[in-house]
Amino acid sequence: MAYKNYPNVTILDHPLLKHKITKLRDKTTKTNEFKMLVKEISILEGYEALRHLETHLVEIETPIEKSMQPLVNRKSLCFVPILRAGLGMEDGLLELVPGCTCGHIGLYRDEVTKEPVEYYCKLPADISEKDVYLIDPMLATGGSAIDAVKMLKKHGAKKISFICIIAAPEGIEAFCKANPDIPLIVGALDRCLNENAYICPGLGDCGDRTFGTTNGTTEDRHII
Ligand code: PRP
Ligand code: URA
């Protein structure tokens, strides 16, 4: 599904994806299931987002005959999660393309200003030759994703796409204004941001729910 007059934006609308995102939003969903859902959702989104991957032909032999058949150019790909919450999506995408190169960008939103703060960046040296998929479950104000794209470009990345699970209209607008040419794949489009720049209805704080750090404590302490 397209979004307004932004040709770079795709809002996915598969019923299975919707089902899993509903479960993810539910505040009674605990850490274990939350992580599993993020992984499954990333596989579903990745299947769509990676549909333009390059392939090359290799000769194989079926039980019937020799044949030239396509394989994905795994080495031309790179996944870059934004820490922390993006790590949950990395797990899912690596199920689709095992052994794919991954870079990592560490950003957190300052609780007061809501501006992203950089704390980590490790990217492959040959990133300029790779098809880079930036991943983060939440696109709220768009500040983190916009900053992460700047960091990728500074390191030479030329071909970038961004995959998120839930986006606010404000985040999509900001991201597209800064990066009109970067494909943006969204699992669900939400209503708006609240006064604390959280997505409504959203799912709360994705990093905390992924790693069980809500209110500074760990959930599921009794589950090993
Ligand atoms: C969340 C989320 C994004 C960012 C989105 O991370 O994973 O990176 O907020 O918000 P924005 O669009 O307004 O920038 P957070 O800063 O909570 O860090 P965490 O993943 O380490 O918890
Ligand atoms: N980050 C989150 O984890 N959730 C939001 O709703 C907004 C930013």
Side-chain angles (χ1 to χ4, degrees):
M1 208 161 58
Y3 180 70
K4 292 191 176 170
N5 54 344
Y6 295 116
N8 59 319
V9 179
T10 306
I11 316 273
L12 301 174
D13 67 351
H14 194 289
L16 277 175
L17 188 62
K18 290 182 180 174
H19 174 92
K20 288 180 191 297
I21 293 176
T22 298
K23 293 190 149 249
L24 195 68
R25 294 179 188 280
D26 189 330
K27 71 176 186 184
T28 66
T29 299
K30 293 272 194 292
T31 310
N32 268 351
E33 193 189 356
F34 191 91
K35 252 196 195 126
M36 188 63 76
L37 284 163
V38 167
K39 186 170 169 179
E40 291 169 356
I41 288 165
S42 306
I43 292 173
L44 293 175
E45 288 201 50
Y47 182 75
E48 274 303 314
L50 300 176
R51 67 164 52 248
H52 304 295
L53 276 191
E54 282 174 27
T55 56
H56 60 281
L57 292 176
V58 294
E59 186 181 84
I60 54 150
E61 202 168 344
T62 75
I64 309 298
E65 61 181 17
K66 283 191 176 165
S67 172
M68 296 299 285
Q69 295 293 333
L71 282 182
V72 160
N73 290 345
R74 181 169 55 89
K75 291 212 165 92
S76 70
L77 250 189
C78 176
F79 299 133
V80 180
I82 302 179
L83 307 179
R84 290 176 293 170
L87 288 174
M89 294 183 75
E90 181 186 67
D91 288 348
L93 291 171
L94 285 175
E95 291 277 321
L96 285 178
V97 192
C100 181
T101 300
C102 293
H104 294 90
I105 288 179
L107 289 175
Y108 69 88
R109 286 201 319 179
D110 181 275
E111 284 187 8
V112 178
T113 65
K114 309 300 175 203
E115 291 294 322
V117 180
E118 297 173 21
Y119 63 90
Y120 189 76
C121 183
K122 186 84 180 171
L123 299 168
D126 58 350
I127 196 159
S128 62
E129 290 148 39
K130 294 198 182 277
D131 201 350
V132 178
Y133 285 82
L134 181 66
I135 50 180
D136 190 325
M138 309 304 277
L139 181 65
T141 63
S144 303
I146 292 168
D147 250 37
V149 168
K150 279 190 199 149
M151 290 164 79
L152 288 172
K153 286 187 171 168
K154 202 171 91 187
H155 283 78
K158 294 189 181 76
K159 197 164 173 223
I160 305 169
S161 304
F162 179 54
I163 313 176
C164 67
I165 297 180
I166 296 182
E170 295 90 330
I172 297 185
E173 297 280 345
F175 185 85
C176 291
K177 214 164 145 197
N179 304 292
D181 301 328
I182 294 189
L184 166 57
I185 296 95
V186 178
L189 171 65
D190 274 14
R191 196 176 69 252
C192 63
L193 296 178
N194 69 11
E195 61 284 5
N196 293 316
Y198 273 85
I199 301 175
C200 305
L203 52 72
D205 189 304
C206 195
D208 278 345
R209 293 195 65 190
T210 303
F211 295 103
T213 51
T214 314
N215 301 326
T217 62
T218 50
E219 286 176 44
D220 298 344
R221 280 188 295 273
H222 52 293
I223 300 173
I224 303 215

